[in-house]
């Protein structure tokens, strides 16, 4: 009966949209570093930690306002408590454990054993509670019991909470964690040296009335100060035996220090690429829109150079040498295989909303077909442009799902034809296209604002602005109309193709906007 | 008999594309194959001859009307292509030589070697790609005009009857409504080309010998040509 009720609740929670959304929201806020609002939450918690510590410091020698004490002891503690409980809640799903166990038991034809499930749940939750971070969180709440004055020292644990909110600390600890075994060995070595030297120095010095080492605690203190190479000098050995031990400890201290420094350095140098990659991926995730170039060879390098003037460009290539080249050229490049779905998963990007176009610019048809099929396997709509190296493979790229194919050889053939046929016209078009000449051809999209004052072609005063209207691209017809009739209606989303001095075109564009504003 | 020819050096896909695109303009197309060049499929459409960089190019004159021929240097190796261009320029001062280059650096060297026109493959491909992405409509329209994929054409019209314009400045004429065409540039006799609405161009009237670069439908262009002179091609 009870188990039926518990199961009903579990199924209800597991299928309830509101419950799941709320849990997901708190998970994002507390644990998901890529969640947009997490940084604000973290900033708020950091601020509370600082307020708390400032009050603690102030309280040492001065009187602190009662409200501030109340705020520190109750409000901040309660906020930390709520946070602790929320983290405990989102750390695992109780309902899922229940449902899984029920499915498991019903498959075996047995009734649900509630005790077993609760033990399992307790085990999972205890695993979280006993994690270092959760322990720090818990200790940071303890000052709430402020009547127990000795518990006040736990206020300092609030400082340790900073580790949770500042990501650099997390990176630092994860780097050091990679050398866990080496650090453990070093710690063992240092502990043994400290223990042995403490005992020896105590034996050598404790009976000497001139020596300041009188207790084993003094000996331990001296050993730690000496092995760390700090050497305050408040306690010094005076017997020959004691000095000999000092020499051994000092030598061991230098070794320990050198070893630990080299450990930290090597841990960082080994993880440097990984840290950089994580940072790059994080930065990419935050981008609103960019072009994704797959493969970095000569054409890709030129395209990236040209596009990067106005847009963000991200490069993926599995070859380290080409990635290095891209990085040297000043682009954000990742050593990911563009032909692997895993690469896009690692990037954590939303292709539909963030990627303007994917450019398959490897100078190999095989690679470009493969990349296209990879992208199409999880996204049907993103615009893909690909280089074609051999005409015989054109249909393969089309079948794979490329939207636009660029075949350099055909292009060269057409340029040759134009050049021998109409050299002047060819140069004119080339000049219009090039960014270097002052005369440009630009496309201006008709916006809703423009339509408020201009409804027909003849209402545009382009001649006054010394701008030639080559024609209009009608969005509805998906067709370009050269030299349109004066009474042609303008519609939102249509494009005007304008030729003229780039300054005049800009002026004209401003006029189209301004007039509508006025 | 000497023929007006397109001489294409290099036996590769670039050369065949060029040959296919210029075949209609020349009586003869000859592809010259460097000794170490191999292509899987032999070209059946065009005559293929072998050449060596140490050949005496003056012998070409006996076979081809070099004054009216065009040379394409389409070897895949830039250094060899530059050497070929400079060798051909040394033999033929006035012939039009169009050379392919991988990048801008080689393009500069080819220009120095005497090429009349250089097509830097990487840059050209890249600029088309970025144009397609930055200004898709403009690129499509220009592409269709330039490569004659629509009824819209771009043409150079040689002015032979300037009296037709009655001394008017180009920017004063209502080209669109009067002739149904758009005049973009005027190339003066001294080969300075100017956009018709630029401030400099306004001081020049249209004179005989000027070339007008016009965009329009074929019929309108033809009609306009009849009025001002013959089409320059």
């Amino acid at each position: 009966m009870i188990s039926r009720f518990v199961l009903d609740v579990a199924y209800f929670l597991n299928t309830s949209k509101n419950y799941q959304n709320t849990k997901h929201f708190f998970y994002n806020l507390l644990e998901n570093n890529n969640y947009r609002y997490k940084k604000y939450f973290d900033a708020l918690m950091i601020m509370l930690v600082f307020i708390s510590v400032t009050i603690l410091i102030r309280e040492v020698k001065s009187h602190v306002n009662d409200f501030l004490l109340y705020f520190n002891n109750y409000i901040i503690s309660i906020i930390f408590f709520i946070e602790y409980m929320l983290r405990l809640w989102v750390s695992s799903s109780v309902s899922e454990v229940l449902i899984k166990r029920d499915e498991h038991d019903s498959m075996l034809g047995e009734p649900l054993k509630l005790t077993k499930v609760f033990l399992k749940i307790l085990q999972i939750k205890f695993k979280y509670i006993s994690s270092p971070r959760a322990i720090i969180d818990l200790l940071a709440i303890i000052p709430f019991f402020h009547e127990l004055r000795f518990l006040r020292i736990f206020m300092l644990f609030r400082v340790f909470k900073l580790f949770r909110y500042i990501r650099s600390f997390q990176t630092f600890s994860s780097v050091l964690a990679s050398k866990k075994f080496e650090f453990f060995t070093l710690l063992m070595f240092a502990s043994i040296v400290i223990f042995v030297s403490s005992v020896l120095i105590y034996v050598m010095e404790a009976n000497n009335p001139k020596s300041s080492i009188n207790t084993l605690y003094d000996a331990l203190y001296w050993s730690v100060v000496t092995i760390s190479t700090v050497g305050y000098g408040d306690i010094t050995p005076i017997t020959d035996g004691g000095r000999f031990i000092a020499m051994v400890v000092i030598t061991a201290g230098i070794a320990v220090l050198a070893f630990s420094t080299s450990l930290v350095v090597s841990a960082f140098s080994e993880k440097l690429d990984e840290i950089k990659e994580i940072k790059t991926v994080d930065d990419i995730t935050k981008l609103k829109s960019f072009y994704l170039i797959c493969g970095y060879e000569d054409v890709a390098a030129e395209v990236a150079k040209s596009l990067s003037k106005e847009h963000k460009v991200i490069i993926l290539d599995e070859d380290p040498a080409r990635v290095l080249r891209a990085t040297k050229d000043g682009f954000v490049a990742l050593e990911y295989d563009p032909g692997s779905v895993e690469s896009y998963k690692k990037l954590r990007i939303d292709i539909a909303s963030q990627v303007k176009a994917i450019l398959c610019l490897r100078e190999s048809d095989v690679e470009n077909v493969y990349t296209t099929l990879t992208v199409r396997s999880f996204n049907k709509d993103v615009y893909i442009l690909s280089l074609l190296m051999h005409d015989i493979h054109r249909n393969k790229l089309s079948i794979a799902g490329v939207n636009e194919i660029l075949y350099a050889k055909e292009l060269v053939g057409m340029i040759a034809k134009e050049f021998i046929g109409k050299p002047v016209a060819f140069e004119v078009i080339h000049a219009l296209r090039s960014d270097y000449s002052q005369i440009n051809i630009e496309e201006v999209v008709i916006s809703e604002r423009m339509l408020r004052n201009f409804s027909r072609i003849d209402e545009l005063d382009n001649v006054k602005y010394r701008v030639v209207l080559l024609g209009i691209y009608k969005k509805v017809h998906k067709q370009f109309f050269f030299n349109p009739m004066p009474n042609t209606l303008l519609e939102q989303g249509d494009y005007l193709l304008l030729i003229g001095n780039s300054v005049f075109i800009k002026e004209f564009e401003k006029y189209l906007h301004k007039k509508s504003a006025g | 008999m000497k023929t007006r020819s397109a001489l294409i050096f290099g036996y590769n896909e670039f050369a065949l594309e060029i040959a296919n695109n210029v075949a209609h303009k020349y009586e003869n197309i000859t592809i010259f194959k460097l000794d170490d060049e191999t292509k899987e499929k032999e070209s059946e459409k065009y005559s293929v001859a072998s050449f060596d960089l140490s050949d005496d190019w003056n012998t070409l004159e006996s076979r081809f009307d070099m004054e009216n021929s065009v040379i394409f240097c389409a070897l895949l190796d830039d250094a060899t292509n530059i050497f070929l261009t400079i060798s051909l320029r040394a033999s033929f001062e006035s012939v039009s030589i169009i050379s392919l280059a991988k990048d801008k650096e080689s393009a500069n060297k080819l220009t120095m070697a005497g090429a009349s026109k250089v097509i830097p493959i990487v840059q050209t491909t890249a600029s088309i790609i970025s144009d397609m992405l930055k200004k898709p409509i403009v690129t499509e329209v220009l592409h269709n005009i330039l490569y004659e994929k629509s009824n819209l054409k771009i043409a150079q019209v040689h002015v032979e009857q300037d009296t037709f314009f009655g001394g008017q400045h180009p920017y004063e004429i209502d080209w669109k409504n009067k002739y149904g065409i758009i005049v973009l540039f005027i190339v003066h006799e001294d080969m300075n080309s100017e956009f018709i609405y630029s401030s400099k161009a306004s001081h020049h009237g249209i004179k005989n010998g000027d070339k007008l670069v016009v965009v329009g439908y074929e019929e309108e262009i033809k009609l306009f040509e009849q009025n001002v002179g013959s089409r320059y091609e």
Side-chain angles (χ1 to χ4, degrees):
Chain A
M1 177 71 184
I2 299 171
S3 54
R4 191 67 258 157
F5 174 72
V6 171
L7 265 179
D8 281 350
V9 173
Y11 274 105
F12 170 74
L13 292 179
N14 213 37
T15 49
S16 160
K17 254 194 171 176
N18 283 338
Y19 176 80
Q20 292 300 338
N21 284 345
T22 317
K23 190 167 181 178
H24 191 65
F25 168 75
F26 282 114
Y27 173 79
N28 279 337
L29 196 68
L30 297 167
E31 304 288 351
N32 183 0
N33 285 328
N34 299 307
Y35 185 59
R36 198 185 299 174
Y37 300 111
K38 184 178 185 290
K39 59 183 174 204
Y40 301 115
F41 174 76
D42 288 354
L44 174 76
M45 298 310 272
I46 289 169
M47 200 176 75
L48 290 180
V49 168
F50 276 114
I51 290 174
S52 194
V53 174
T54 312
I55 293 171
L56 176 75
I57 294 166
R58 177 97 185 133
E59 210 186 357
V60 175
K61 289 202 167 183
S62 323
H63 174 71
V64 176
N65 183 305
D66 284 347
F67 170 74
L68 283 177
L69 279 178
Y70 176 81
F71 181 74
N72 189 25
N73 291 334
Y74 292 99
I75 299 185
I76 295 183
S77 298
I78 288 170
I79 293 173
F80 285 172
F81 177 70
I82 295 171
E83 184 208 3
Y84 181 80
M85 295 311 285
L86 286 173
R87 283 190 195 276
L88 185 65
W89 177 42
V90 299
S91 66
S92 54
S93 169
V94 173
S95 58
E96 245 171 54
V97 177
L98 268 162
I99 290 166
K100 264 191 191 165
R101 188 73 211 182
D102 176 50
E103 281 171 356
H104 175 263
D105 286 351
S106 36
M107 204 169 67
L108 297 175
E110 293 170 5
L112 177 70
K113 292 177 196 103
L114 266 186
T115 13
K116 265 195 171 180
V117 188
F118 280 122
L119 277 175
K120 175 88 183 157
I121 291 167
L122 276 179
Q123 195 188 346
I124 293 170
K125 291 293 180 191
F126 182 74
K127 201 179 163 193
Y128 172 76
I129 292 171
S130 58
S131 67
R133 286 172 170 204
I135 292 172
I136 291 172
D137 283 346
L138 187 67
L139 293 174
I141 304 166
I142 288 179
F144 176 67
F145 308 101
H146 63 286
E147 278 76 17
L148 301 169
R149 282 202 71 86
F150 77 93
L151 288 180
R152 292 222 156 174
I153 197 66
F154 287 107
M155 189 79 83
L156 278 178
F157 279 95
R158 293 190 173 175
V159 179
F160 291 123
K161 267 174 83 71
L162 290 176
F163 284 102
R164 199 185 258 295
Y165 307 116
I166 299 174
R167 286 177 75 188
S168 316
F169 286 140
Q170 291 167 24
T171 314
F172 186 75
S173 51
S174 75
V175 168
L176 294 188
S178 69
K179 293 277 175 188
K180 233 190 276 179
F181 173 72
E182 288 86 341
F183 277 113
F184 181 72
T185 314
L186 185 69
L187 187 73
M188 282 297 111
F189 171 73
S191 307
I192 289 166
V193 173
I194 290 169
F195 175 71
V196 173
S197 60
S198 308
V199 172
L200 284 176
I201 201 90
Y202 178 72
V203 172
M204 298 285 174
E205 302 266 325
N207 284 332
N208 194 318
K210 286 182 186 169
S211 170
S212 40
I213 299 173
N214 298 314
T215 62
L216 194 60
Y217 185 71
D218 287 340
L220 181 71
Y221 168 74
W222 172 85
S223 288
V224 173
V225 168
T226 309
I227 204 169
S228 65
T229 73
V230 172
Y232 289 127
D234 52 347
I235 298 176
T236 49
I238 53 165
T239 61
D240 286 346
R243 284 180 177 160
F244 178 74
I245 293 160
M247 284 190 278
V248 175
V249 176
I250 288 166
T251 318
I254 293 169
V256 167
L257 195 76
F259 190 33
S260 48
T261 312
S262 71
L263 271 184
V264 173
V265 171
S266 71
F268 265 96
S269 58
E270 278 168 25
K271 287 264 180 175
L272 197 63
D273 288 341
E274 206 179 301
I275 295 169
K276 273 188 188 167
E277 188 185 305
I278 293 170
K279 173 86 178 80
T280 312
V281 170
D282 280 352
D283 290 345
I284 293 172
T285 316
K286 286 174 200 153
L287 290 178
K288 279 191 182 145
S289 83
F290 57 89
Y291 287 108
L292 193 65
I293 296 184
C294 300
Y296 194 77
E297 287 174 89
D298 292 341
V299 174
E302 285 296 323
V303 172
K305 206 162 87 183
S306 165
L307 289 178
S308 63
K309 287 175 196 158
E310 293 163 39
H311 306 276
K312 295 269 181 226
V313 173
I314 307 295
I315 289 147
L316 298 187
D317 201 314
E318 74 272 31
D319 181 60
R322 290 197 293 261
V323 171
L324 187 68
R325 182 183 166 197
T327 316
K328 276 186 180 167
D329 289 347
F331 300 112
V332 179
L334 282 165
E335 199 186 311
Y336 285 2
D337 179 7
S340 152
V341 177
E342 196 56 36
S343 306
Y344 303 91
K345 277 187 191 160
K346 278 201 269 181
L347 268 180
R348 300 195 311 264
I349 48 168
D350 177 18
I351 291 213
S353 66
Q354 285 178 279
V355 179
K356 284 167 88 83
I358 292 182
L359 316 178
C360 302
L361 301 183
R362 278 295 306 274
E363 286 163 25
S364 150
D365 292 333
V366 176
E367 295 291 341
N368 289 338
V369 166
Y370 195 68
T371 303
T372 308
L373 280 174
T374 306
V375 174
R376 284 287 175 246
S377 69
F378 57 85
N379 188 299
K380 302 276 174 235
D381 305 318
V382 66
Y383 179 85
I384 302 180
L385 181 148
S386 174
L387 271 188
L388 171 68
M389 300 311 290
H390 301 285
D391 203 24
I392 195 164
H393 299 141
R394 187 185 286 271
N395 62 339
K396 288 153 204 157
L397 278 171
S398 302
I399 294 167
V402 171
N403 299 83
E404 192 77 51
I405 294 171
L406 208 102
Y407 181 45
K409 282 139 197 168
E410 179 187 45
L411 200 67
V412 166
M414 289 196 293
I415 291 173
K417 178 185 175 186
E418 278 313 300
F419 186 71
I420 57 160
K422 297 170 231 165
V424 177
F426 177 83
E427 291 300 338
V428 164
I429 296 270
H430 183 71
L432 284 179
R433 269 182 165 160
S434 127
D435 292 337
Y436 306 108
S437 69
Q438 285 191 326
I439 306 300
N440 271 338
I441 178 159
E442 297 286 349
E443 51 189 51
V444 174
V445 65
I446 301 286
S447 64
E448 201 191 337
R449 279 167 63 84
M450 290 179 189
L451 282 177
R452 283 184 211 151
N453 277 291
F454 304 98
S455 56
R456 287 161 36 142
I457 287 281
D458 55 353
E459 291 168 5
L460 307 167
D461 279 336
N462 56 301
V463 178
K464 205 175 100 189
Y465 283 83
R466 295 185 162 213
V467 168
V468 177
L469 176 68
L470 188 69
I472 183 167
Y473 179 88
K474 297 295 284 178
K475 192 185 166 191
V476 186
H477 303 93
K478 287 189 175 169
Q479 202 182 335
F480 174 70
F481 294 92
F482 168 74
N483 197 9
M485 301 289 283
N487 59 359
T488 305
L489 287 177
L490 298 171
E491 285 165 286
Q492 197 178 338
D494 290 351
Y495 283 88
L496 299 176
L497 261 65
L498 305 168
I499 301 178
N501 187 304
S502 41
V503 179
F504 290 159
I505 294 183
K506 271 197 187 130
E507 284 299 314
F508 179 58
E509 237 188 299
K510 266 189 208 164
Y511 158 78
L512 292 179
H513 282 98
K514 254 187 204 165
K515 195 183 170 194
S516 52
Chain B
M1 191 191 145
K2 289 185 188 178
T3 50
R4 267 185 83 237
S5 305
L7 312 178
I8 304 169
F9 291 84
Y11 193 54
N12 49 50
E13 283 178 272
F14 283 108
L16 289 179
E17 278 292 337
I18 293 171
N20 289 340
N21 277 287
V22 301
H24 67 289
K25 291 274 291 183
Y26 294 90
E27 296 162 15
N28 167 274
I29 303 280
T30 303
I31 297 177
F32 289 86
K33 178 179 167 185
L34 193 63
D35 290 345
D36 58 356
E37 275 186 305
T38 49
K39 201 176 175 306
E40 284 168 22
K41 204 176 149 193
E42 288 285 317
S43 166
E44 291 157 5
K45 274 160 71 181
Y46 311 107
S47 59
V48 179
S50 285
F51 81 98
D52 191 85
L53 287 172
S54 55
D55 282 357
D56 175 14
W57 299 114
N58 291 323
T59 56
L60 288 178
E61 251 172 330
S62 57
R63 291 162 58 202
F64 306 105
D65 171 13
M66 293 309 285
E67 285 294 306
N68 295 305
S69 292
V70 63
I71 292 175
F72 291 95
C73 296
L75 297 175
L76 293 178
D77 178 55
D78 277 353
T80 324
N81 217 24
I82 291 169
F83 188 80
L84 176 70
T85 305
I86 206 164
S87 312
L88 289 164
R89 181 54 77 215
S91 301
F92 310 107
E93 256 180 49
S94 56
V95 72
S96 207
I97 301 178
I98 300 164
S99 298
L100 302 192
K102 269 203 194 100
D103 50 38
K104 266 194 174 164
E105 195 187 316
S106 302
N108 290 340
K109 288 175 191 159
L110 279 164
T111 311
M112 285 160 71
S116 329
K117 167 82 188 166
V118 181
I119 306 172
I121 301 165
V122 169
Q123 269 79 12
T124 309
T125 313
S127 81
I128 296 279
I129 291 175
S130 33
D131 282 353
M132 274 172 162
L133 298 167
K134 283 191 211 163
K135 300 179 195 168
I137 312 281
V138 164
T139 311
E140 195 192 325
V141 170
L142 289 187
H143 198 82
N144 289 343
I145 293 175
L146 196 57
Y147 303 121
E148 296 176 357
K149 289 190 174 170
S150 71
N151 295 329
L152 213 53
K153 302 267 184 279
I154 184 161
Q156 298 160 198
V157 180
H158 205 120
V159 179
E160 287 176 0
Q161 294 160 20
D162 55 8
T163 48
F164 178 75
F165 300 108
Q168 272 184 304
H169 292 298
Y171 67 93
E172 292 171 331
I173 303 165
D174 185 4
W175 304 96
K176 275 169 133 185
N177 294 329
K178 264 189 172 172
Y179 313 110
I181 56 162
I182 289 178
V183 176
L184 298 177
F185 278 75
I186 292 184
V187 184
H188 297 294
E189 269 189 309
D190 56 4
M191 288 312 278
N192 272 339
S193 70
E194 278 165 344
F195 180 61
I196 66 156
Y197 291 116
S198 72
S199 46
K200 278 188 218 161
S202 57
H203 301 297
H204 290 278
I206 303 170
K207 291 177 191 148
N208 280 344
D210 287 351
K211 279 171 225 151
L212 302 176
V213 177
V214 304
V215 178
Y217 291 109
E218 198 154 12
E219 283 173 23
E220 269 98 14
I221 294 179
K222 272 184 185 161
L223 200 69
F224 180 68
E225 279 166 1
Q226 282 171 16
N227 290 327
V228 297
S230 58
R231 186 167 175 168
Y232 178 85
E233 260 194 301

